Amino acid sequence: MDKIKKFIKFVLTAFAAAFLLSWIIYFFNLDMKASVHLKKLMDKVYDMRKRDRRL
């Protein structure tokens, strides 16, 4: 019985932590802020590619 209580407590704590983390990301719009930085990085990689400019 004690193991079951520990497991339930662990699961509830994990869900609460995941909810809190996702709420913080949503509230401060961190996903869109991170995507701006990733786009800059991906643009650098894209611009380094050699291109075939023949018609």
Side-chain angles (χ1 to χ4, degrees):
M1 194 70 172
D2 191 38
K3 284 186 177 184
I4 295 173
K5 286 182 182 180
K6 274 187 174 180
F7 179 73
I8 291 174
K9 186 176 179 181
F10 174 76
V11 169
L12 289 176
T13 305
F15 277 127
F19 175 77
L20 184 64
L21 183 64
S22 65
W23 186 82
I24 289 170
I25 290 171
Y26 169 77
F27 187 76
F28 292 109
N29 205 16
L30 297 177
D31 54 339
M32 291 293 110
K33 292 177 182 177
S35 68
V36 169
H37 295 291
L38 285 175
K39 185 181 181 308
K40 289 178 187 176
L41 179 68
M42 291 186 328
D43 284 345
K44 286 180 185 178
V45 172
Y46 180 77
D47 290 340
M48 288 183 344
R49 288 185 176 174
K50 284 192 166 222
R51 291 181 179 74
D52 186 12
R53 295 184 174 143
R54 293 178 286 161
L55 293 176

